[in-house]
Amino acid sequence: MTNSIREFRDTDCFLITGSNTAESHPVISYEVVRAANAGANLIILDPRRIPLVKHATLHLQAKPGTDIYILLAMMHVIVREGWADTAFVEERTEGFEEFAAMLEEYTPEHAALLSGVPAEQIELAARLYANGARAHGTSRYDGRGHSAILYAMGITQRSNGTDLVKTLANLAMLCGQVGKRSAGVNPLRGQSNVQGACDVGCLVNVLPGYQPVTDEAARARVAPKWGVDTLPDKVGLTVVEAINAAAEGTVRALYVMGENPLLSDPDTQHVEHGLRTLDFLLVQDIFLSETAQLAHLVLPAAASLEKDGTFTNTERRVQMVRPVLEAPGEALPDWVITGRLAARYDEIMGIRRDQAAWLYPSTAAIMEELASVTPIYGGVSHARLGNHGLQWPCPTADHPGTAILHVEKFSRGRGKFFAVRASDPVELPDEEYPLILTTGRVLYHYHTGTQTRRSGPLSWVEPRGYVEIHPADAEAVGLEDGAAVVVESRRGTIRTKAHLTEDVPQGTIFLAFHWREAPANMLTHTIKLDPVAKIPEYKVCAVKIVNPRARLKEKASAD
């Protein structure tokens, strides 16, 4: 996030896309609703009628996968009408001419034909966002109002996810809505400490602090602090690539920590084949997840309330966590388990290294090392965090932390406009599979349900899965609300309950991915990954719905 959560209550206009904020990030949605109630305009770009729509000024209900046409058309209008922040563009960016020329073909009329959103709504959204207009009330800021973009996995979990994020960045720069309070481009992280895991090097292409592993100078700086002569310069495999390699037999062992790929990764049958093909599967978790049930060895880990250390949240705030419960049985904190494994590996392999390199005395010592190799964490220590934490970049011990990014300049100097062209989802509906499946979350459950479905109260409120279907689509196959329904794709089949609602548009169905009894990812695919991020297209795949009662009647008649 370029900005901080607290700032949203003073935002003049929100553009929220690819995020069901009220159900996936409810605390942040409180700030959005507070601002809307005080007069802020709220633009929702989403195929579904998500809960925040009732607070929205404008709901751009686009067909799944067509949002990029709307965003490009909005920028077309902004340039055409002279609403761009020309001073910001000239002083702080580059590449505008090529970008502006590319926009000429993306008219609101063209976007309307492809997305189903009327051209006049697209033009209104462009004006509201560009000018930071308020519906009523007075902006706290002089001149152009402050607009914020919020997005989540509905944008990134796509075969063109990187292009979509670049498009949002283009929009913010075009209107000068970055580097100031209550504005910016703000990805809402899908899980607690996802931001922190990425920050400290749990990505296949970077060292801690987003230093590329291909950068020789970065490797040379970090290697001596880790007590080695050199560090590898090759980019590793992402999760989906690793599962594919396991299925092919080129990855022989896998160490899974706090993740449940058997439910969370696309094309479940393919994932299961990959995991079963491994010579050795090691899972480290707090519960016996579906993935752990396939493991050769399970290591019991301590849960978040049973350990200390830091989490870094979606606004880049590094915060202390402290244990309030004893870990049960033989469960240990993840860092202890991993350190002991690494030390034992050195011993078995005859690697001469100081065992203290792995067996840290405390999490404070880990943070001390982390600060020494991670420039954005350079001034972070447990002693400084207190009850409120620090936001990175925090490069030195006397630095107060950074609430807003890119205030005077971008990290690369000038912000770069990318002439991103629209592309469609890789699997669109056809005669055999006429509907689009999109996936997401519901308020009362989280991710694959490993934790929340073990909570009695949460499970009581939302005990089982269902698929949202537009009444017209249900009528076409003779389905009633609450009846059993079969959903099929080219990868697999699931059976669940039908929930008839106009919250989804005709031609689209929605299924949460929490339900092991009806796993949404049995249906999703890895036909094409995003070429940069290597993320699959979870949010758009072609499916059909079948009324099992009608199918039984047809079979009985045929017999």
Side-chain angles (χ1 to χ4, degrees):
M1 286 175 62
T2 59
N3 289 67
S4 304
I5 297 167
R6 171 60 179 80
E7 297 169 30
F8 291 155
R9 65 181 63 177
D10 300 320
T11 294
D12 296 311
C13 180
F14 292 94
L15 171 60
I16 301 181
T17 181
S19 169
N20 181 3
T21 315
E23 295 194 85
S24 296
H25 300 91
V27 174
I28 292 175
S29 79
Y30 299 155
E31 297 291 359
V32 174
V33 171
R34 182 198 296 259
N37 288 341
N41 274 309
L42 175 56
I43 304 165
I44 303 290
L45 173 51
D46 199 291
R48 296 174 67 222
R49 190 181 299 276
I50 57 176
L52 272 182
V53 166
K54 63 177 174 284
H55 300 280
T57 311
L58 196 56
H59 179 204
L60 308 178
Q61 193 170 18
K63 296 175 184 176
T66 64
D67 41 11
I68 191 166
Y69 292 100
I70 292 175
L71 295 168
L72 291 169
M74 285 175 61
M75 291 187 285
H76 172 101
V77 173
I78 289 166
V79 172
R80 183 189 72 194
E81 299 297 326
W83 295 334
D85 189 334
T86 53
F88 185 94
V89 170
E90 291 172 3
E91 295 169 11
R92 295 197 51 186
T93 70
E94 63 186 26
F96 175 74
E97 290 75 16
E98 180 186 358
F99 162 74
M102 178 273 300
L103 287 179
E104 291 179 5
E105 65 187 271
Y106 292 101
T107 65
E109 292 76 17
H110 177 62
L113 284 173
L114 295 169
S115 68
V117 175
E120 57 269 24
Q121 288 191 10
I122 297 173
E123 292 175 339
L124 176 58
R127 179 173 64 80
L128 295 178
Y129 175 81
N131 296 302
R134 281 205 153 216
H136 59 271
T138 305
S139 170
R140 291 191 55 182
Y141 307 102
D142 295 330
R144 185 187 294 256
H146 290 209
S147 296
I149 296 172
L150 277 62
Y151 73 90
M153 292 185 292
I155 291 294
T156 56
Q157 289 185 339
R158 305 266 291 279
S159 60
N160 63 339
T162 300
D163 282 350
L164 281 161
V165 172
K166 288 179 179 178
T167 299
L168 293 175
N170 286 341
L171 176 58
M173 290 191 297
L174 180 64
C175 301
Q177 297 288 4
V178 65
K180 60 186 185 182
R181 279 185 57 82
S182 307
V185 182
N186 301 284
L188 309 181
R189 299 306 190 192
Q191 300 180 55
S192 176
N193 209 30
V194 162
Q195 184 67 59
C198 296
D199 294 347
V200 303
C202 292
L203 294 169
V204 299
N205 61 335
V206 291
L207 298 166
Y210 306 99
Q211 303 170 90
V213 297
T214 53
D215 184 337
E216 185 176 355
R219 297 197 310 275
R221 286 193 301 270
V222 174
K225 295 178 181 178
W226 283 349
V228 295
D229 297 327
T230 59
L231 290 170
D233 62 354
K234 293 181 180 178
V235 174
L237 300 178
T238 62
V239 174
V240 174
E241 291 175 316
I243 294 294
N244 290 343
E248 295 163 2
T250 53
V251 163
R252 307 288 296 279
L254 201 61
Y255 182 2
V256 179
M257 183 190 305
E259 183 69 16
N260 191 13
L262 192 59
L263 285 190
S264 62
D265 280 22
D267 194 351
T268 301
Q269 292 188 77
H270 174 68
V271 175
E272 182 174 355
H273 170 66
L275 295 177
R276 289 187 183 277
T277 303
L278 292 164
D279 292 342
F280 182 63
L281 175 59
L282 170 62
V283 173
Q284 184 171 313
D285 212 323
I286 62 174
F287 293 120
L288 196 67
S289 67
E290 286 73 19
T291 303
Q293 292 174 38
L294 298 181
H296 298 92
L297 180 63
V298 178
L299 298 177
S304 58
L305 296 182
E306 299 161 357
K307 58 188 177 184
D308 73 333
T310 64
F311 282 7
T312 304
N313 76 356
T314 193
E315 65 173 6
R316 298 170 283 105
R317 187 176 298 277
V318 187
Q319 302 174 93
M320 286 293 302
V321 293
R322 299 175 178 86
V324 296
L325 297 169
E326 290 286 334
E330 298 179 85
L332 294 169
D334 291 296
W335 64 273
V336 174
I337 298 172
T338 306
R340 290 184 183 181
L341 278 175
R344 180 66 174 141
Y345 175 83
D346 280 1
E347 181 182 344
I348 293 171
M349 299 301 292
I351 298 173
R352 295 176 181 244
R353 194 189 340 251
D354 183 359
Q355 293 291 292
W358 297 117
L359 305 178
Y360 295 91
S362 66
T363 56
I366 297 175
M367 177 56 75
E368 183 179 348
E369 180 191 295
L370 178 63
S372 74
V373 298
T374 314
I376 58 175
Y377 277 61
V380 177
S381 65
H382 283 194
R384 290 195 66 201
L385 292 176
N387 291 326
H388 301 290
L390 290 165
Q391 287 174 277
W392 66 256
C394 181
T396 61
D398 58 353
H399 194 283
T402 306
I404 305 171
L405 297 180
H406 317 308
V407 172
E408 296 179 355
K409 65 178 183 178
F410 292 97
S411 56
R412 69 183 300 276
R414 283 180 172 266
K416 181 174 175 60
F417 281 101
F418 284 89
V420 174
R421 293 185 176 275
S423 61
D424 294 321
V426 67
E427 187 180 66
L428 293 171
D430 56 22
E431 187 175 342
E432 185 179 5
Y433 296 97
L435 304 176
I436 291 176
L437 167 69
T438 189
T439 66
R441 294 174 173 169
V442 298
L443 176 62
Y444 295 99
H445 289 293
Y446 169 75
H447 208 43
T448 63
T450 306
Q451 297 173 79
T452 55
R453 296 197 69 193
R454 286 177 165 83
S455 165
L458 295 179
S459 187
W460 177 79
V461 174
E462 203 77 83
R464 61 182 63 87
Y466 54 87
V467 58
E468 294 182 358
I469 304 172
H470 190 277
D473 293 323
E475 184 180 6
V477 294
L479 270 177
E480 296 180 354
D481 189 44
V485 60
V486 172
V487 186
E488 297 181 1
S489 77
R490 291 180 174 86
R491 274 72 53 191
T493 300
I494 65 165
R495 182 185 176 102
T496 185
K497 184 175 72 171
H499 173 52
L500 274 53
T501 174
E502 293 186 355
D503 287 347
V504 291
Q506 191 172 350
T508 298
I509 67 173
F510 170 81
L511 180 63
F513 51 79
H514 314 299
W515 319 109
R516 59 182 175 273
E517 304 90 341
N521 287 316
M522 185 72 75
L523 308 170
T524 54
H525 64 79
T526 58
I527 297 170
K528 180 184 176 184
L529 305 181
D530 180 284
V532 177
K534 309 298 183 184
I535 291 175
E537 195 148 55
Y538 287 95
K539 301 307 179 187
V540 182
C541 76
V543 298
K544 63 182 176 182
I545 55 174
V546 177
N547 183 338
R549 291 184 179 179
R551 178 175 280 182
L552 283 172
K553 288 180 181 179
E554 290 174 7
K555 187 176 185 300
S557 298
D559 292 343

